[in-house]
Amino acid sequence: MLTCKQASQLISQSLDRPLSWYELMQLRLHLMMCGACNRFRKQLNLLLIGLRKIRTNIENNSAIHLPLDAKARIVEKVRSDQQSQ
């Protein structure tokens, strides 16, 4: 049985990579019994959706008056942070 700390780590990792079948089953079992980890998973998904919207707006919004190199640095930083998590 996973602890909440282990479950939260798997939840975070699931955003960046597919979990193994064993990891996924352990996580699902834990989530069936733990409301706090379910809330954490939902909050993390909302944050991810928000970050993706910000990135899309930065990439596509010509009204944002930032130098192109600043836009590129922001987009690269968001991408690298997502990959390192």
Side-chain angles (χ1 to χ4, degrees):
M1 179 72 176
L2 292 177
T3 64
C4 288
K5 182 177 181 178
Q6 292 168 322
S8 64
Q9 288 172 341
L10 282 179
I11 291 168
S12 295
Q13 291 173 7
S14 71
L15 299 176
D16 300 323
R17 67 172 177 87
L19 298 179
S20 70
W21 182 86
Y22 184 70
E23 290 172 325
L24 191 58
M25 290 302 114
Q26 284 186 310
L27 182 58
R28 285 184 180 172
L29 180 63
H30 183 87
L31 291 175
M32 287 179 6
M33 296 183 283
C34 184
C37 287
N38 262 312
R39 284 189 297 278
F40 173 73
R41 182 180 56 86
K42 289 176 184 174
Q43 290 170 348
L44 205 56
N45 283 334
L46 286 175
L47 285 172
L48 183 63
I49 290 168
L51 286 173
R52 286 181 178 158
K53 284 183 181 179
I54 290 170
R55 183 178 73 190
T56 300
N57 285 340
I58 289 172
E59 288 175 341
N60 299 329
N61 191 345
S62 61
I64 296 175
H65 300 290
L66 291 173
L68 291 178
D69 63 322
K71 284 184 180 181
R73 286 195 313 264
I74 291 169
V75 169
E76 183 58 35
K77 179 65 176 162
V78 170
R79 284 185 181 146
S80 69
D81 286 351
Q82 287 178 339
Q83 291 173 350
S84 66
Q85 294 176 357

